[in-house]
Amino acid sequence: MSRNLILGLSAAVLTAGLAAPALADAGDTIKTIVDRGTLRCTGHNGSYLGFAEVDDAGKWTGFDIEFCKALATAILGSPESLQIIPVSWAQRFPALQSGDIDVIIKVTGWTMSRDTELGLQFSRPYFIGPTNILTRTELGAETAADLEGGVFCINAGTSIERIVADYMGARGIQYEALNFEKAEELRSALYGGRCDALAGFGPFLAATRFNAPNPDDFVIMDEVLALEPEAIATRQGDDNFVDVINWMVSGLLMAEENGITQANVDEIRANPPSASVERLLGVSPGMGDRLGLSNDWVYNVIKAVGNYGEIYERTVGQDSPYKLPRGKNHLWSDGGLLYSLVLD
Amino acid sequence: MAVALAPPATDDNLMAWARRRLFSTWLDGLITVAFGALMIWAVARIVDWGVLDAVWTVAEKDRCREVDGACWSVIGARGRLILFGLYPHDEHWRSTLACIAIILTMGFSCIPKFWGLRRLPALWVAGFAIFILLMYGGILGLPVVRTEQWGGLSLTVFIFAAVVVIGMPLAVVLALARRSPLPVISGVANVIINFVRSLPLLAILFTAAVVVPFVVPDWAQGDKLVRVTLAFALFFACYQAEIIRAGLQAIPSGQEEAASALGMKYWSRVFDIMLPQAFRNSLPSTINQFVITFKETSIVTIIGFFEIMASGNAAVGTGEWVSQFVEVYVFVGAIYFAFVFGLSRYGAYLERRARLTHG
C-alpha cells in the first residue's frame, strides 16, 4: 500500500469528517480521561521499530509507548491505566478527532498543514527525527558529497524522496535514485549491494544497520539532511491538556538535567538538593495544583518510566538493539536541542 | 478392406509409460530433462533453505546470522504473538478454544446433514455465542477482553465467518430483490449492489471504522469491530448476490412457470425449486468468492485490527527479528493455504456430490 494512497484517503475522509457536525468535543480531555479511568493512546497496526513494538507476551513497548505511559501516569497515577489503541498512519488523525483516542504519540511531525488545516494542537517536540544517510563502510565516504554519482536506495512515496532531492539538488550533487515500496525490499537491495547508500529516518537506518549480515559493513553518517520535530498531537482547543503534555515532556527532561533517575528518585526526593527539585518531585506544592494534577505526578512518572535519557536509551538507544546515537536528542548541555522549561 | 489398427498401447510398466508420455520424441525428451532438472534444483534449494540449513530452536537463535537457511527460531519466539495478536497472554487458552469453536462450526455447516432452515441458523448462533463468550468474557469470572485486543488467527477466522454468515442471507435477499418484477424493489437492490461494488473495500471499511463516529451519535455507533464486520458483510453480499443471480438465471424459466401453474406459492418456489439449483449452478464462483473473502480479511489491518497478517508484521517489527520476515510470511502463508486449500477441496467435494445426486 503506498503511503500516498493512504494519505489521500485519510485526507478525503477527514474532509468528509470535518464537514460533519459530530466532531468530538475538544472540551476537557483530562476530565474525560479521569472519568473513564484510562488514557487511550496510539499504538500501531503491526509495529514501528523502536517506537511502538509488541513483545513476545503481546505487550506494547517502545519510545512512543513510554510517553503514553508517562502521560497516563501523570494524569491517573499509574502506567497500568493506559489503553493502547492500534491505529494505522492513515487512521490516526480521524481517530483523534472522533474521540476514539485521546492523544497521538506516534512519531508525528509537527507540520503546518496538520497544525492549521487538520485542527490539531501540537505539544512541544519530544523527539527530533533526523534524516540520515547509511553507507557502506568500504566506500570511506564522510559526507554526502563523497557519494557523488552513487546509487541511493529510497523508500518510494515518502517524504524522504523529496528531502534527498532537495538536499542533493541544493548542493549540486549528482546521484541515482533507486526506489522501493517496502522496507524489506529496501533492506535486501542494500545488503545485496545494489545501492551505495540508503537515505532514511534515523531510527530506521539504525535498525537496518543492526540487522545487516555484518553490521560493521555499514555506517550511518553524522550529516543530517533534514530534521523533523515530532510532537504530541491533541484536538485543538484544550489548552489545559496541552499544558499538561508540555510539562510532562519538560518534567522528563528536567529530571535528566538534575540527574534524577528511576533508581534514585526516592533517595533524591528524601533529600532534595534544591528548591526547584523539591517542587518538581512534589515535596513542596506547585507542580501539580497549577495543572489540576496531584503534586507528586512527576515523581510517579519518573518512578514508572525513568527520565528522558533513560527512556531513550532503553527503547532506541544504547540499551536497545538499534543503538541509535542521541545526536540532536541530547540535552542542550550535551550538544543537543532539548531543554526543559523554567519551573518557577 | 479395412486395415486392422493395433490397439492403443497400454502402460503395463513404468518404463513404457515414461517412454510414451515423457520421451516419445527427442524434443519431448529434451523438455522432460530440462524441466526435471529445474524441479529438482528448485526442490533442493527449498529443502536446503527450509530444512537442512535451518535453525530450529529459540535457544540456537544466535546461529541465525551464520547460516544461509531459514531461522525458524522466530516462530518459536514470536509464534504466540502471530497466532494471538494483542490478546492478553494469560488468556490465550480462551482465544484458542474460541478459534476451535468457530472452525468446528464452519466444519459442521459443511456437512449436508446440517443444511436446513432451522439447523444451520441454530448451529451458527451457538457457534458465535460460544466464540464471543470466550473472547469477550465478562461472565463466569472471565476477565473482559475488549475487541481492540482481539487478534491473530481467531480474529481472521471470526471476521471471515461473520462476513459469510451475515453476507450470505443478505446476498440471497438482494439477488431475489433484483429479479423482482416490482420496479421499486429491483431498483433499490440494483442501486445498492452497484453503489457498493463501485467502491473499493478499503474505502468502505475505512468509512465504517473512522467516518461513522463523526456522523452517528455515540449511543448508535456500536463497537468498531461490529461496524467493520457489517460493512464487510455488505460488500461480500453485493458480489455474492450477483453470483446467485447468475445461478438463478441459468434455470430454465419453464421450471418456475410450471411451479406457478401447479399452484406453488412464491416462497415455496424460491426455496424448493429455484435456490437449491441456483446454489448448485453457482458453486464454483461461490467458492471463489469465499477464497477471495478469506484473503481480503487482511485488509482490516489498515484500520488497526491485529488479524494474523498484522500480527505477523508486528512479530518481525522488533530489532531482534527484523530479518526473519521471510520465515514469518511463510508461516502465515501456510496458515492461509491450509484454510483456502480446505475450502477448494470442499468445493470439489460439493461438485462431485451434486453430480452424483443430479446426474
PDB file of all heavy atoms in Angstrom, chain A residues 13 22 40 44-45 47 53-54 56 83 88 91 94 210-212 322, chain B residues 65 78 146 148 210-211 214 301-304 306 317-319 322-323 325:
ATOM      1  N   VAL A  13     -11.262  11.392   3.830  1.00  0.00           N
ATOM      2  CA  VAL A  13     -12.122  11.035   4.948  1.00  0.00           C
ATOM      3  C   VAL A  13     -12.231  12.201   5.923  1.00  0.00           C
ATOM      4  O   VAL A  13     -13.297  12.511   6.430  1.00  0.00           O
ATOM      5  CB  VAL A  13     -11.571   9.779   5.652  1.00  0.00           C
ATOM      6  CG1 VAL A  13     -12.244   9.589   7.000  1.00  0.00           C
ATOM      7  CG2 VAL A  13     -11.793   8.556   4.792  1.00  0.00           C
ATOM      8  N   ALA A  22     -20.559  16.186  14.029  1.00  0.00           N
ATOM      9  CA  ALA A  22     -20.377  15.418  15.258  1.00  0.00           C
ATOM     10  C   ALA A  22     -18.923  15.280  15.699  1.00  0.00           C
ATOM     11  O   ALA A  22     -18.529  14.271  16.223  1.00  0.00           O
ATOM     12  CB  ALA A  22     -21.001  14.041  15.108  1.00  0.00           C
ATOM     13  N   ARG A  40      -6.509   6.724  26.445  1.00  0.00           N
ATOM     14  CA  ARG A  40      -6.475   5.978  25.176  1.00  0.00           C
ATOM     15  C   ARG A  40      -5.437   6.616  24.269  1.00  0.00           C
ATOM     16  O   ARG A  40      -5.599   7.737  23.814  1.00  0.00           O
ATOM     17  CB  ARG A  40      -7.858   5.958  24.517  1.00  0.00           C
ATOM     18  CG  ARG A  40      -8.862   5.114  25.298  1.00  0.00           C
ATOM     19  CD  ARG A  40     -10.274   5.321  24.826  1.00  0.00           C
ATOM     20  NE  ARG A  40     -10.521   4.770  23.497  1.00  0.00           N
ATOM     21  CZ  ARG A  40     -10.973   3.520  23.276  1.00  0.00           C
ATOM     22  NH1 ARG A  40     -11.224   2.729  24.287  1.00  0.00           N
ATOM     23  NH2 ARG A  40     -11.173   3.097  22.057  1.00  0.00           N
ATOM     24  N   HIS A  44       0.185   0.873  17.031  1.00  0.00           N
ATOM     25  CA  HIS A  44       0.452   0.776  15.605  1.00  0.00           C
ATOM     26  C   HIS A  44      -0.223  -0.475  15.075  1.00  0.00           C
ATOM     27  O   HIS A  44      -0.459  -1.413  15.826  1.00  0.00           O
ATOM     28  CB  HIS A  44       1.964   0.719  15.382  1.00  0.00           C
ATOM     29  CG  HIS A  44       2.356   0.952  13.963  1.00  0.00           C
ATOM     30  ND1 HIS A  44       2.116   2.137  13.330  1.00  0.00           N
ATOM     31  CD2 HIS A  44       2.955   0.148  13.061  1.00  0.00           C
ATOM     32  CE1 HIS A  44       2.560   2.048  12.081  1.00  0.00           C
ATOM     33  NE2 HIS A  44       3.069   0.851  11.902  1.00  0.00           N
ATOM     34  N   ASN A  45      -0.551  -0.481  13.778  1.00  0.00           N
ATOM     35  CA  ASN A  45      -1.128  -1.701  13.215  1.00  0.00           C
ATOM     36  C   ASN A  45       0.009  -2.587  12.709  1.00  0.00           C
ATOM     37  O   ASN A  45       0.298  -2.670  11.547  1.00  0.00           O
ATOM     38  CB  ASN A  45      -2.111  -1.377  12.080  1.00  0.00           C
ATOM     39  CG  ASN A  45      -1.455  -0.615  10.952  1.00  0.00           C
ATOM     40  OD1 ASN A  45      -0.432   0.015  11.140  1.00  0.00           O
ATOM     41  ND2 ASN A  45      -2.023  -0.685   9.770  1.00  0.00           N
ATOM     42  N   SER A  47       3.976  -3.006  13.780  1.00  0.00           N
ATOM     43  CA  SER A  47       4.919  -2.442  14.722  1.00  0.00           C
ATOM     44  C   SER A  47       5.833  -1.478  14.015  1.00  0.00           C
ATOM     45  O   SER A  47       6.106  -1.615  12.821  1.00  0.00           O
ATOM     46  CB  SER A  47       5.650  -3.571  15.431  1.00  0.00           C
ATOM     47  OG  SER A  47       6.978  -3.583  15.113  1.00  0.00           O
ATOM     48  N   GLU A  53       6.329  -1.265  19.504  1.00  0.00           N
ATOM     49  CA  GLU A  53       6.535  -2.665  19.158  1.00  0.00           C
ATOM     50  C   GLU A  53       5.715  -3.525  20.095  1.00  0.00           C
ATOM     51  O   GLU A  53       5.283  -3.063  21.137  1.00  0.00           O
ATOM     52  CB  GLU A  53       7.994  -3.072  19.364  1.00  0.00           C
ATOM     53  CG  GLU A  53       8.981  -2.320  18.534  1.00  0.00           C
ATOM     54  CD  GLU A  53      10.401  -2.796  18.809  1.00  0.00           C
ATOM     55  OE1 GLU A  53      10.582  -3.702  19.663  1.00  0.00           O
ATOM     56  OE2 GLU A  53      11.310  -2.268  18.182  1.00  0.00           O
ATOM     57  N   VAL A  54       5.528  -4.780  19.721  1.00  0.00           N
ATOM     58  CA  VAL A  54       4.832  -5.709  20.600  1.00  0.00           C
ATOM     59  C   VAL A  54       5.837  -6.772  21.034  1.00  0.00           C
ATOM     60  O   VAL A  54       6.538  -7.333  20.196  1.00  0.00           O
ATOM     61  CB  VAL A  54       3.651  -6.371  19.865  1.00  0.00           C
ATOM     62  CG1 VAL A  54       2.830  -7.188  20.838  1.00  0.00           C
ATOM     63  CG2 VAL A  54       2.792  -5.319  19.193  1.00  0.00           C
ATOM     64  N   ASP A  56       7.103 -10.417  23.127  1.00  0.00           N
ATOM     65  CA  ASP A  56       6.681 -11.818  22.960  1.00  0.00           C
ATOM     66  C   ASP A  56       5.368 -12.109  23.671  1.00  0.00           C
ATOM     67  O   ASP A  56       4.609 -12.987  23.281  1.00  0.00           O
ATOM     68  CB  ASP A  56       7.762 -12.766  23.503  1.00  0.00           C
ATOM     69  CG  ASP A  56       9.023 -12.690  22.670  1.00  0.00           C
ATOM     70  OD1 ASP A  56       8.987 -12.022  21.620  1.00  0.00           O
ATOM     71  OD2 ASP A  56      10.036 -13.288  23.066  1.00  0.00           O
ATOM     72  N   GLN A  83      -4.569   2.511  27.868  1.00  0.00           N
ATOM     73  CA  GLN A  83      -5.100   1.628  26.828  1.00  0.00           C
ATOM     74  C   GLN A  83      -4.427   2.018  25.536  1.00  0.00           C
ATOM     75  O   GLN A  83      -4.566   3.141  25.089  1.00  0.00           O
ATOM     76  CB  GLN A  83      -6.599   1.871  26.633  1.00  0.00           C
ATOM     77  CG  GLN A  83      -7.520   0.971  27.399  1.00  0.00           C
ATOM     78  CD  GLN A  83      -8.971   1.313  27.056  1.00  0.00           C
ATOM     79  OE1 GLN A  83      -9.302   1.688  25.946  1.00  0.00           O
ATOM     80  NE2 GLN A  83      -9.837   1.174  28.022  1.00  0.00           N
ATOM     81  N   SER A  88      -3.545   2.737  12.316  1.00  0.00           N
ATOM     82  CA  SER A  88      -2.609   2.864  11.203  1.00  0.00           C
ATOM     83  C   SER A  88      -2.237   4.338  11.048  1.00  0.00           C
ATOM     84  O   SER A  88      -2.834   5.204  11.674  1.00  0.00           O
ATOM     85  CB  SER A  88      -3.244   2.341   9.925  1.00  0.00           C
ATOM     86  OG  SER A  88      -4.410   3.084   9.641  1.00  0.00           O
ATOM     87  N   GLN A  91      -5.104   6.434   9.890  1.00  0.00           N
ATOM     88  CA  GLN A  91      -6.257   6.470  10.775  1.00  0.00           C
ATOM     89  C   GLN A  91      -6.061   7.423  11.957  1.00  0.00           C
ATOM     90  O   GLN A  91      -7.020   7.782  12.635  1.00  0.00           O
ATOM     91  CB  GLN A  91      -6.399   5.041  11.302  1.00  0.00           C
ATOM     92  CG  GLN A  91      -7.714   4.634  11.876  1.00  0.00           C
ATOM     93  CD  GLN A  91      -7.544   3.256  12.502  1.00  0.00           C
ATOM     94  OE1 GLN A  91      -6.493   2.635  12.403  1.00  0.00           O
ATOM     95  NE2 GLN A  91      -8.576   2.784  13.157  1.00  0.00           N
ATOM     96  N   PRO A  94      -8.158  11.097  11.998  1.00  0.00           N
ATOM     97  CA  PRO A  94      -9.609  10.923  12.211  1.00  0.00           C
ATOM     98  C   PRO A  94      -9.932  10.252  13.550  1.00  0.00           C
ATOM     99  O   PRO A  94     -10.939  10.606  14.180  1.00  0.00           O
ATOM    100  CB  PRO A  94     -10.046  10.032  11.045  1.00  0.00           C
ATOM    101  CG  PRO A  94      -8.950  10.024  10.069  1.00  0.00           C
ATOM    102  CD  PRO A  94      -7.719  10.500  10.731  1.00  0.00           C
ATOM    103  N   PHE A 210      21.657  -2.618  12.162  1.00  0.00           N
ATOM    104  CA  PHE A 210      21.697  -3.669  13.173  1.00  0.00           C
ATOM    105  C   PHE A 210      21.414  -5.034  12.570  1.00  0.00           C
ATOM    106  O   PHE A 210      21.957  -6.047  13.001  1.00  0.00           O
ATOM    107  CB  PHE A 210      20.672  -3.354  14.268  1.00  0.00           C
ATOM    108  CG  PHE A 210      20.396  -4.504  15.194  1.00  0.00           C
ATOM    109  CD1 PHE A 210      21.327  -4.869  16.148  1.00  0.00           C
ATOM    110  CD2 PHE A 210      19.224  -5.221  15.095  1.00  0.00           C
ATOM    111  CE1 PHE A 210      21.079  -5.930  16.992  1.00  0.00           C
ATOM    112  CE2 PHE A 210      18.971  -6.291  15.941  1.00  0.00           C
ATOM    113  CZ  PHE A 210      19.901  -6.648  16.890  1.00  0.00           C
ATOM    114  N   ASN A 211      20.558  -5.068  11.560  1.00  0.00           N
ATOM    115  CA  ASN A 211      20.137  -6.354  11.009  1.00  0.00           C
ATOM    116  C   ASN A 211      20.959  -6.820   9.823  1.00  0.00           C
ATOM    117  O   ASN A 211      20.679  -7.868   9.252  1.00  0.00           O
ATOM    118  CB  ASN A 211      18.663  -6.296  10.623  1.00  0.00           C
ATOM    119  CG  ASN A 211      17.811  -6.485  11.834  1.00  0.00           C
ATOM    120  OD1 ASN A 211      17.702  -7.585  12.345  1.00  0.00           O
ATOM    121  ND2 ASN A 211      17.250  -5.402  12.332  1.00  0.00           N
ATOM    122  N   ALA A 212      21.955  -6.037   9.437  1.00  0.00           N
ATOM    123  CA  ALA A 212      22.787  -6.449   8.316  1.00  0.00           C
ATOM    124  C   ALA A 212      23.527  -7.732   8.695  1.00  0.00           C
ATOM    125  O   ALA A 212      23.797  -7.976   9.869  1.00  0.00           O
ATOM    126  CB  ALA A 212      23.776  -5.344   7.984  1.00  0.00           C
ATOM    127  N   TYR A 322      18.884  -1.143  18.547  1.00  0.00           N
ATOM    128  CA  TYR A 322      19.092  -0.186  17.464  1.00  0.00           C
ATOM    129  C   TYR A 322      20.336   0.680  17.664  1.00  0.00           C
ATOM    130  O   TYR A 322      20.938   1.124  16.705  1.00  0.00           O
ATOM    131  CB  TYR A 322      17.856   0.699  17.292  1.00  0.00           C
ATOM    132  CG  TYR A 322      16.603  -0.132  17.224  1.00  0.00           C
ATOM    133  CD1 TYR A 322      15.675  -0.115  18.246  1.00  0.00           C
ATOM    134  CD2 TYR A 322      16.402  -0.985  16.158  1.00  0.00           C
ATOM    135  CE1 TYR A 322      14.558  -0.924  18.198  1.00  0.00           C
ATOM    136  CE2 TYR A 322      15.289  -1.795  16.097  1.00  0.00           C
ATOM    137  CZ  TYR A 322      14.357  -1.757  17.127  1.00  0.00           C
ATOM    138  OH  TYR A 322      13.272  -2.560  17.084  1.00  0.00           O
TER     139      TYR A 322
ATOM    140  N   ARG B  65      22.523 -15.749  12.157  1.00  0.00           N
ATOM    141  CA  ARG B  65      23.347 -14.871  11.331  1.00  0.00           C
ATOM    142  C   ARG B  65      24.341 -15.662  10.488  1.00  0.00           C
ATOM    143  O   ARG B  65      24.729 -15.220   9.418  1.00  0.00           O
ATOM    144  CB  ARG B  65      24.139 -13.913  12.223  1.00  0.00           C
ATOM    145  CG  ARG B  65      23.473 -12.598  12.465  1.00  0.00           C
ATOM    146  CD  ARG B  65      24.303 -11.802  13.443  1.00  0.00           C
ATOM    147  NE  ARG B  65      23.484 -10.821  14.121  1.00  0.00           N
ATOM    148  CZ  ARG B  65      23.186  -9.624  13.604  1.00  0.00           C
ATOM    149  NH1 ARG B  65      23.659  -9.274  12.435  1.00  0.00           N
ATOM    150  NH2 ARG B  65      22.426  -8.791  14.267  1.00  0.00           N
ATOM    151  N   ARG B  78       8.132 -15.872  18.539  1.00  0.00           N
ATOM    152  CA  ARG B  78       7.067 -14.914  18.244  1.00  0.00           C
ATOM    153  C   ARG B  78       5.774 -15.583  17.790  1.00  0.00           C
ATOM    154  O   ARG B  78       4.815 -14.890  17.435  1.00  0.00           O
ATOM    155  CB  ARG B  78       7.534 -13.930  17.162  1.00  0.00           C
ATOM    156  CG  ARG B  78       8.855 -13.253  17.462  1.00  0.00           C
ATOM    157  CD  ARG B  78       8.733 -12.213  18.534  1.00  0.00           C
ATOM    158  NE  ARG B  78       8.312 -10.936  18.026  1.00  0.00           N
ATOM    159  CZ  ARG B  78       8.052  -9.878  18.801  1.00  0.00           C
ATOM    160  NH1 ARG B  78       8.156  -9.990  20.125  1.00  0.00           N
ATOM    161  NH2 ARG B  78       7.667  -8.746  18.290  1.00  0.00           N
ATOM    162  N   ARG B 146     -11.455  -6.452  25.620  1.00  0.00           N
ATOM    163  CA  ARG B 146     -12.102  -5.590  24.633  1.00  0.00           C
ATOM    164  C   ARG B 146     -11.707  -5.997  23.221  1.00  0.00           C
ATOM    165  O   ARG B 146     -10.652  -6.576  23.008  1.00  0.00           O
ATOM    166  CB  ARG B 146     -11.712  -4.137  24.886  1.00  0.00           C
ATOM    167  CG  ARG B 146     -12.326  -3.566  26.168  1.00  0.00           C
ATOM    168  CD  ARG B 146     -11.699  -2.242  26.536  1.00  0.00           C
ATOM    169  NE  ARG B 146     -10.295  -2.393  26.900  1.00  0.00           N
ATOM    170  CZ  ARG B 146      -9.291  -1.969  26.170  1.00  0.00           C
ATOM    171  NH1 ARG B 146      -9.500  -1.324  25.054  1.00  0.00           N
ATOM    172  NH2 ARG B 146      -8.055  -2.161  26.563  1.00  0.00           N
ATOM    173  N   GLU B 148     -10.598  -4.406  20.818  1.00  0.00           N
ATOM    174  CA  GLU B 148      -9.338  -3.851  20.313  1.00  0.00           C
ATOM    175  C   GLU B 148      -8.173  -4.787  20.581  1.00  0.00           C
ATOM    176  O   GLU B 148      -7.144  -4.716  19.923  1.00  0.00           O
ATOM    177  CB  GLU B 148      -9.020  -2.508  20.986  1.00  0.00           C
ATOM    178  CG  GLU B 148      -9.883  -1.380  20.547  1.00  0.00           C
ATOM    179  CD  GLU B 148     -10.551  -0.702  21.726  1.00  0.00           C
ATOM    180  OE1 GLU B 148     -10.308  -1.109  22.877  1.00  0.00           O
ATOM    181  OE2 GLU B 148     -11.327   0.217  21.507  1.00  0.00           O
ATOM    182  N   VAL B 210     -13.883   4.714  10.706  1.00  0.00           N
ATOM    183  CA  VAL B 210     -13.379   6.043  11.052  1.00  0.00           C
ATOM    184  C   VAL B 210     -14.393   7.159  10.841  1.00  0.00           C
ATOM    185  O   VAL B 210     -14.472   8.091  11.632  1.00  0.00           O
ATOM    186  CB  VAL B 210     -12.089   6.315  10.242  1.00  0.00           C
ATOM    187  CG1 VAL B 210     -11.593   7.710  10.494  1.00  0.00           C
ATOM    188  CG2 VAL B 210     -11.017   5.304  10.598  1.00  0.00           C
ATOM    189  N   VAL B 211     -15.193   7.063   9.777  1.00  0.00           N
ATOM    190  CA  VAL B 211     -16.102   8.168   9.473  1.00  0.00           C
ATOM    191  C   VAL B 211     -17.398   8.070  10.263  1.00  0.00           C
ATOM    192  O   VAL B 211     -17.933   9.082  10.706  1.00  0.00           O
ATOM    193  CB  VAL B 211     -16.392   8.233   7.954  1.00  0.00           C
ATOM    194  CG1 VAL B 211     -17.323   9.392   7.648  1.00  0.00           C
ATOM    195  CG2 VAL B 211     -15.093   8.387   7.189  1.00  0.00           C
ATOM    196  N   PHE B 214     -18.076  10.138  13.302  1.00  0.00           N
ATOM    197  CA  PHE B 214     -18.287  11.574  13.119  1.00  0.00           C
ATOM    198  C   PHE B 214     -19.761  11.908  12.895  1.00  0.00           C
ATOM    199  O   PHE B 214     -20.228  12.963  13.272  1.00  0.00           O
ATOM    200  CB  PHE B 214     -17.500  12.086  11.904  1.00  0.00           C
ATOM    201  CG  PHE B 214     -16.033  12.232  12.147  1.00  0.00           C
ATOM    202  CD1 PHE B 214     -15.134  11.356  11.576  1.00  0.00           C
ATOM    203  CD2 PHE B 214     -15.555  13.251  12.961  1.00  0.00           C
ATOM    204  CE1 PHE B 214     -13.781  11.487  11.812  1.00  0.00           C
ATOM    205  CE2 PHE B 214     -14.209  13.397  13.186  1.00  0.00           C
ATOM    206  CZ  PHE B 214     -13.316  12.506  12.619  1.00  0.00           C
ATOM    207  N   THR B 301      -6.286  -4.707   8.713  1.00  0.00           N
ATOM    208  CA  THR B 301      -5.104  -4.189   9.401  1.00  0.00           C
ATOM    209  C   THR B 301      -4.989  -2.671   9.240  1.00  0.00           C
ATOM    210  O   THR B 301      -4.496  -1.977  10.116  1.00  0.00           O
ATOM    211  CB  THR B 301      -3.826  -4.871   8.892  1.00  0.00           C
ATOM    212  OG1 THR B 301      -2.719  -4.160   9.390  1.00  0.00           O
ATOM    213  CG2 THR B 301      -3.771  -4.874   7.387  1.00  0.00           C
ATOM    214  N   ILE B 302      -5.516  -2.137   8.134  1.00  0.00           N
ATOM    215  CA  ILE B 302      -5.368  -0.711   7.857  1.00  0.00           C
ATOM    216  C   ILE B 302      -6.226   0.133   8.799  1.00  0.00           C
ATOM    217  O   ILE B 302      -6.016   1.321   8.964  1.00  0.00           O
ATOM    218  CB  ILE B 302      -5.702  -0.412   6.373  1.00  0.00           C
ATOM    219  CG1 ILE B 302      -4.982   0.831   5.895  1.00  0.00           C
ATOM    220  CG2 ILE B 302      -7.177  -0.290   6.130  1.00  0.00           C
ATOM    221  CD1 ILE B 302      -3.504   0.687   5.798  1.00  0.00           C
ATOM    222  N   ILE B 303      -7.209  -0.509   9.458  1.00  0.00           N
ATOM    223  CA  ILE B 303      -7.964   0.249  10.443  1.00  0.00           C
ATOM    224  C   ILE B 303      -7.637  -0.244  11.845  1.00  0.00           C
ATOM    225  O   ILE B 303      -8.438  -0.132  12.769  1.00  0.00           O
ATOM    226  CB  ILE B 303      -9.476   0.163  10.166  1.00  0.00           C
ATOM    227  CG1 ILE B 303      -9.792  -1.233   9.701  1.00  0.00           C
ATOM    228  CG2 ILE B 303      -9.901   1.199   9.151  1.00  0.00           C
ATOM    229  CD1 ILE B 303     -11.219  -1.435   9.346  1.00  0.00           C
ATOM    230  N   GLY B 304      -6.439  -0.792  11.986  1.00  0.00           N
ATOM    231  CA  GLY B 304      -5.924  -1.059  13.321  1.00  0.00           C
ATOM    232  C   GLY B 304      -6.352  -2.363  13.954  1.00  0.00           C
ATOM    233  O   GLY B 304      -6.271  -2.501  15.164  1.00  0.00           O
ATOM    234  N   PHE B 306      -5.659  -6.357  14.602  1.00  0.00           N
ATOM    235  CA  PHE B 306      -4.481  -7.212  14.598  1.00  0.00           C
ATOM    236  C   PHE B 306      -4.805  -8.600  14.081  1.00  0.00           C
ATOM    237  O   PHE B 306      -4.593  -9.578  14.774  1.00  0.00           O
ATOM    238  CB  PHE B 306      -3.905  -7.295  16.013  1.00  0.00           C
ATOM    239  CG  PHE B 306      -2.671  -6.478  16.166  1.00  0.00           C
ATOM    240  CD1 PHE B 306      -2.751  -5.105  16.143  1.00  0.00           C
ATOM    241  CD2 PHE B 306      -1.440  -7.070  16.323  1.00  0.00           C
ATOM    242  CE1 PHE B 306      -1.621  -4.327  16.273  1.00  0.00           C
ATOM    243  CE2 PHE B 306      -0.296  -6.310  16.452  1.00  0.00           C
ATOM    244  CZ  PHE B 306      -0.383  -4.929  16.430  1.00  0.00           C
ATOM    245  N   GLY B 317       8.500  -6.916  13.557  1.00  0.00           N
ATOM    246  CA  GLY B 317       8.775  -5.499  13.756  1.00  0.00           C
ATOM    247  C   GLY B 317       9.506  -5.195  15.038  1.00  0.00           C
ATOM    248  O   GLY B 317       9.146  -4.266  15.752  1.00  0.00           O
ATOM    249  N   THR B 318      10.496  -5.992  15.376  1.00  0.00           N
ATOM    250  CA  THR B 318      11.309  -5.665  16.531  1.00  0.00           C
ATOM    251  C   THR B 318      12.744  -5.975  16.168  1.00  0.00           C
ATOM    252  O   THR B 318      12.998  -6.886  15.371  1.00  0.00           O
ATOM    253  CB  THR B 318      10.846  -6.442  17.774  1.00  0.00           C
ATOM    254  OG1 THR B 318      11.642  -6.025  18.875  1.00  0.00           O
ATOM    255  CG2 THR B 318      10.969  -7.938  17.591  1.00  0.00           C
ATOM    256  N   GLY B 319      13.658  -5.173  16.687  1.00  0.00           N
ATOM    257  CA  GLY B 319      15.050  -5.232  16.271  1.00  0.00           C
ATOM    258  C   GLY B 319      15.586  -6.639  16.118  1.00  0.00           C
ATOM    259  O   GLY B 319      16.281  -6.964  15.164  1.00  0.00           O
ATOM    260  N   VAL B 322      13.888  -8.535  12.765  1.00  0.00           N
ATOM    261  CA  VAL B 322      13.555  -7.833  11.523  1.00  0.00           C
ATOM    262  C   VAL B 322      13.934  -8.616  10.267  1.00  0.00           C
ATOM    263  O   VAL B 322      13.239  -8.597   9.264  1.00  0.00           O
ATOM    264  CB  VAL B 322      14.207  -6.438  11.516  1.00  0.00           C
ATOM    265  CG1 VAL B 322      14.263  -5.877  10.131  1.00  0.00           C
ATOM    266  CG2 VAL B 322      13.425  -5.501  12.402  1.00  0.00           C
ATOM    267  N   SER B 323      15.042  -9.364  10.324  1.00  0.00           N
ATOM    268  CA  SER B 323      15.500 -10.062   9.120  1.00  0.00           C
ATOM    269  C   SER B 323      14.710 -11.323   8.837  1.00  0.00           C
ATOM    270  O   SER B 323      14.844 -11.916   7.776  1.00  0.00           O
ATOM    271  CB  SER B 323      16.971 -10.446   9.263  1.00  0.00           C
ATOM    272  OG  SER B 323      17.700  -9.364   9.735  1.00  0.00           O
ATOM    273  N   PHE B 325      11.638 -11.863   8.187  1.00  0.00           N
ATOM    274  CA  PHE B 325      10.297 -11.671   7.642  1.00  0.00           C
ATOM    275  C   PHE B 325       9.883 -12.796   6.688  1.00  0.00           C
ATOM    276  O   PHE B 325       8.729 -13.157   6.626  1.00  0.00           O
ATOM    277  CB  PHE B 325      10.165 -10.290   6.984  1.00  0.00           C
ATOM    278  CG  PHE B 325      11.099 -10.053   5.838  1.00  0.00           C
ATOM    279  CD1 PHE B 325      10.700 -10.341   4.553  1.00  0.00           C
ATOM    280  CD2 PHE B 325      12.361  -9.527   6.060  1.00  0.00           C
ATOM    281  CE1 PHE B 325      11.556 -10.111   3.492  1.00  0.00           C
ATOM    282  CE2 PHE B 325      13.214  -9.299   5.011  1.00  0.00           C
ATOM    283  CZ  PHE B 325      12.817  -9.600   3.718  1.00  0.00           C
TER     284      PHE B 325
END
